[in-house]
Amino acid sequence: MSLLEVTKVSLNFGGVKALSNVSFTVKKGEIFSIIGPNGAGKTTLLNCISGRYVPVGSIRMNGVEMVGMKAHARPGLGIARTFQNIALFVQENVLDNVLVGRNHLLKAGILSSSLYWTRWGCLGEEAEANGAAVKALAALGLEGVINRPVADLPYGVQKRVELARAMVAEPNLLLLDEPMAGMTLNEKLELAGHIQKLNSEHDVTALMIEHDMGIVMSISHRVMVLDFGEKIAEGTPGEVMENTQVRKAYLGEEIS
Amino acid sequence: MEYFLGLLINGIVVGSIYSMVALGFVLIYKATEVVNFAQGELLMIGAYFCMETIVRTRMPFIPAFLMTMIFMIVLALLIERLVLRRMLGAPIISVIMVTIGIGIILRMIVIQIWGATSLPFPDVFPREGISFGVVKVGQVYIWSLALSILFMVLFGIFFKFTRIGLVMRATASSRKAAESMGVPLTRIFALAWIISAVVSGVGGVLTGSIAGLTPELSFYGVKVFPAVILGGLDSIVGATISGVVIGVLENLGAGFLKDLTGLGGLGPVAPFIILVAILWVRPTGLFGTKDIERV
């Protein structure tokens, strides 16, 4: 049961090969991690999937070809994402940030939704959106900061708000770009727990880029390794750890 | 005192129109990062369209006013769809140059149709003034002030409390994040242009009914610039407050500097003197947050 099928994806920036012939599939219900040294093309690959870049090759979500589709069509196909450097709406509060994540599920058009308030006395689907936002925040332990401006929150909390904003879209596939970068160990463990919970209880498939090997190896079902834009290995965490090419290209660097 | 109050009231009224146009300016900048140099021409064409509708169809003011707003919406959609959408992905400076071009074209259209000399605006507001203690204020001023405040409040409510308002704010804050949440950027850009054109059109009708019609009305786009810089290029609240401040300073400047310096015509210059001063002292403006720097 493959959810996401990436086939022979290549992308050049000028003369630089950012990705060459990368193929892999993400199965429904798994946590699939992409690792590799800096500049290996991990974020570029994620951006191809989320529609920011248009690569050569094929990327299918539930069988639907996405290469060439606009980025804003992704949520409709069940894809939500977070960003490497937090991309929250800095002037807004936590609830409003998360409400935007719900946007694509609301059907009312511009005219009718101008008549509904987001805050007070909201009606119909707007009320439902509020409820969903509060629920998504609560699932990540953020019920205490709902009305706080996001700019006031610590980094680790902001990262969780971003995750809640992605989750409120009710995605089938969650793209996480270094969700734990810059966090303390405790924050990392807490977030890893949240990701596992979302995966097991909410049936969310996750495609994650992460540098923390300990966490990647402990929560991922499968891992893919990129180096200089090429896939050099794929398998269970155990298999990948054993792979000599991987040890040389990537893990070796960290050990020495 | 009477003289001072007169100048002050005039300044507040003109300033509230500046505020409204500045708000349209800031909205486009926030949503699309484009500095729209055709803002004044939008105002001008709105004023001429309303006048023509009233004169030609003998329509009462209110339906003519609504017609003008519809015309502004259509015009904004045309500009966005036919010109700006093709510029997506082009460097911002190119888009800004294109807005200058749009401005020139609109001005030429107005001069072709209505000529370059000034025309009277039909009397839509009663002529006799209303007395407030020592000063008598023309009704056109009162209506202008009321309408600009009404539009700014409506806009504020829309922007602050509706979902589309929230999505617009989000888009202004981070395009890539908004896009990843399914926000169609082109539609938000179009909406920003529509709102901006409508408030400019309203500003044009009010200005036209106060001062009459000439193609020089397009100069308002430049006049609004000091207000936008004072408030901060990306601050809606800033634009609203600064518009009034600039309007008042312009009028007081016109009224008093003449006596002090013996030089006439300092009024129109005053805002630009302030503009230079702001850029020296605080380039981001009073409420602005980013991007503008001294180099």
Side-chain angles (χ1 to χ4, degrees), chain A residues 32-226:
Chain A
F32 186 100
S33 293
I34 303 173
I35 61 170
N38 285 326
K42 305 181 297 291
T43 296
T44 308
L45 181 57
L46 209 71
N47 282 337
C48 289
I49 298 169
S50 70
R52 287 184 60 71
Y53 299 145
V54 183
V56 178
S58 157
I59 302 174
R60 288 164 181 273
M61 173 77 183
N62 279 324
V64 179
E65 180 59 65
M66 296 196 297
V67 172
M69 258 190 202
K70 289 252 163 69
H72 68 73
R74 296 308 192 271
L77 295 166
I79 299 177
R81 71 168 294 178
T82 65
F83 294 85
Q84 186 173 358
N85 306 306
I86 304 176
L88 287 171
F89 307 122
V90 287
Q91 280 131 5
E92 315 303 333
N93 68 18
V94 170
L95 181 63
D96 280 351
N97 263 275
V98 175
L99 276 175
V100 180
R102 188 78 182 176
N103 179 58
H104 83 99
L105 291 174
L106 304 179
K107 289 173 195 73
I110 284 179
L111 267 182
S112 55
S113 58
S114 319
L115 303 174
Y116 295 142
W117 310 139
T118 50
R119 267 175 228 180
W120 334 300
C122 39
L123 298 159
E125 57 177 6
E126 304 279 341
E128 211 179 296
N130 265 0
V134 171
K135 226 161 87 185
L137 286 164
L140 290 166
L142 293 164
E143 54 276 78
V145 296
I146 285 176
N147 290 312
R148 294 269 296 278
V150 284
D152 292 358
L153 300 172
Y155 185 80
V157 181
Q158 290 192 0
K159 283 238 158 193
R160 268 193 283 157
V161 174
E162 217 193 9
L163 183 57
R165 188 180 65 178
M167 280 307 299
V168 82
E170 297 178 4
N172 300 318
L173 177 65
L174 189 56
L175 308 175
L176 302 166
D177 194 353
E178 297 197 21
M180 293 156 204
M183 286 188 167
T184 63
L185 182 62
N186 280 337
E187 286 174 330
K188 281 182 185 179
L189 291 174
E190 200 187 335
L191 190 69
H194 283 307
I195 293 172
Q196 279 186 306
K197 209 173 100 186
L198 293 175
N199 175 251
S200 57
E201 290 174 18
H202 297 260
D203 234 12
V204 177
T205 308
L207 175 59
M208 176 172 81
I209 296 172
E210 183 49 53
H211 277 299
D212 190 306
M213 278 305 124
I215 291 193
V216 166
M217 294 307 169
S218 68
I219 72 171
S220 308
H221 299 109
R222 284 192 306 138
V223 178
M224 175 174 82
V225 189
L226 283 184

